[in-house]
Amino acid sequence: MTMKKSESIWFNGELIPWDEAQVHAAAHVLHYGSSVFEGIRAYATDQGPAVFCLDAHVDRLFSSAKVYRMAIPYTKEEIRQAILETVRANGLQSCYIRPLVYRGFESFSIDPTPCPVGVAIIAIEWGRYLGPEAIEEGVDVGVSSWRRMAPGTFPAAAKVGGQYINSQLIAMEAHEHGYVEGIALDANGYVSEGSGENLFMVSRGDVMTPPLASSILEGVTRRCVVTLAEEAGHPVREAFIPREALYMADEVFFTGTAAEITPVRSIDGIPVGPGERGPVTESLQEMFFGITSGELEDRHGWLTAVR
């Protein structure tokens, strides 16, 4: 999907034109992937644009930075307001927001601590991450030959730029094989997640999702879906999921800020259930999109009005 430029980017404390938001070629982030980031959505509602789970995303941004010893030179409230300001300045109603905390240039040492920390916030128009028909029709995916990081190698719970090299390998392999997305296994061979999404499985009425110990990112949307499922009478159980369980499942779906709630239609060419969106997935979508559109009550306080 080609990125459409917005007018302005919030760059180290001020809004500047899109084309002027640049970093130096010697910046540590370009050489070593030393950045942390978030993906956030704003949805169009009758009351204007509203950002979904803003506080949870800002909290995770700061938590990721803490793991990587990156002192963000702004408070949480300043970043929060900057995100809202960026959406307003670009006149966006429904958009994807990318706050990025990165290390600039000072040293080529592997130890990044001498390098200054910068912040950029980008907001762009962006449609369905896995395709315009994916929400209803589902997507065809494959289990990747690439594994997620083993415990003690990378902190999977932190959303770190450099770690997405692993995700790139999973996504590229999937596309080369004709799939929309890939599913990675963890270091022990259990199901982990997609290249950029968490995964849920429905089997005999039970809803399951891999635990944090399977090297997953604790997704903000994942957390919301667990809440919605439990409210609908579908308690979610964290469980180590063997690969073959995916082929036997009644339903499988992805969750994420970009993917939202996307059903999986087939895995490795094997239809999931009847090969179409299942009833649990559909009911969760109805609740999720009802809340994000403003048609249903925002009973959990997930939406923050931009204006």
Side-chain angles (χ1 to χ4, degrees), residues 6-280:
S6 296
E7 291 184 12
S8 304
I9 290 176
W10 193 92
F11 196 72
N12 293 320
E14 60 180 329
L15 286 163
I16 64 174
W18 177 282
D19 290 330
E20 294 180 16
Q22 301 178 17
V23 298
H24 196 276
H28 201 275
V29 63
L30 294 180
H31 300 266
Y32 302 114
S34 45
S35 66
V36 299
F37 68 96
E38 281 296 314
I40 311 172
R41 272 195 189 265
Y43 289 90
T45 75
D46 290 342
Q47 305 301 315
V51 180
F52 185 66
C53 291
L54 176 58
D55 292 338
H57 281 290
V58 172
D59 286 345
R60 190 173 64 181
L61 180 71
F62 275 75
S63 293
S64 297
K66 184 177 182 180
V67 171
Y68 267 83
R69 280 73 164 176
M70 299 175 75
I72 298 177
Y74 303 96
T75 65
K76 286 185 179 182
E77 182 58 24
E78 286 172 330
I79 294 297
R80 187 180 185 278
Q81 292 301 323
I83 289 169
L84 299 174
E85 181 183 5
T86 305
V87 176
R88 281 195 297 266
N90 288 291
L92 298 168
Q93 296 298 309
S94 178
C95 64
Y96 182 82
I97 308 158
R98 171 59 57 85
L100 174 74
V101 180
Y102 65 92
R103 291 197 183 270
F105 70 92
E106 182 63 38
S107 168
F108 279 155
S109 171
I110 298 296
D111 178 0
T113 50
C115 299
V117 175
V119 181
I121 300 171
I122 305 161
I124 58 169
E125 291 183 13
W126 206 19
R128 302 297 186 203
Y129 178 60
L130 297 177
E133 310 301 327
I135 295 297
E136 293 185 9
E137 297 181 6
V139 292
D140 301 312
V141 308
V143 176
S144 181
S145 66
W146 294 99
R147 300 287 182 94
R148 296 297 279 169
M149 63 284 284
T153 58
F154 296 92
K159 198 171 177 69
V160 181
Q163 293 173 190
Y164 276 74
I165 288 293
N166 176 256
S167 294
Q168 291 177 47
L169 291 168
I170 294 165
M172 288 189 292
E173 180 185 63
H175 297 159
E176 287 168 359
H177 292 169
Y179 298 122
V180 172
E181 181 57 293
I183 293 173
L185 306 180
D186 67 18
N188 295 312
Y190 293 107
V191 174
S192 179
E193 58 186 356
S195 69
E197 311 89 8
N198 292 126
L199 179 143
F200 287 78
M201 183 181 83
V202 183
S203 180
R204 301 186 188 92
D206 292 334
V207 183
M208 290 169 279
T209 192
L212 300 185
S214 284
S215 295
I216 70 166
L217 181 72
E218 187 180 9
V220 172
T221 304
R222 173 183 183 269
R223 200 181 310 158
C224 294
V225 167
V226 169
T227 298
L228 294 176
E230 291 177 345
E231 286 182 344
H234 302 293
V236 177
R237 177 165 56 92
E238 289 193 348
F240 292 107
I241 300 173
R243 174 177 180 167
E244 63 270 21
L246 296 175
Y247 307 136
M248 303 175 188
D250 300 315
E251 301 178 44
V252 175
F253 59 91
F254 287 131
T255 66
T257 296
E260 299 167 298
I261 301 175
T262 299
V264 173
R265 181 169 56 197
S266 71
I267 301 172
D268 294 335
I270 301 173
V272 175
E276 60 186 25
R277 177 176 59 180
V280 174

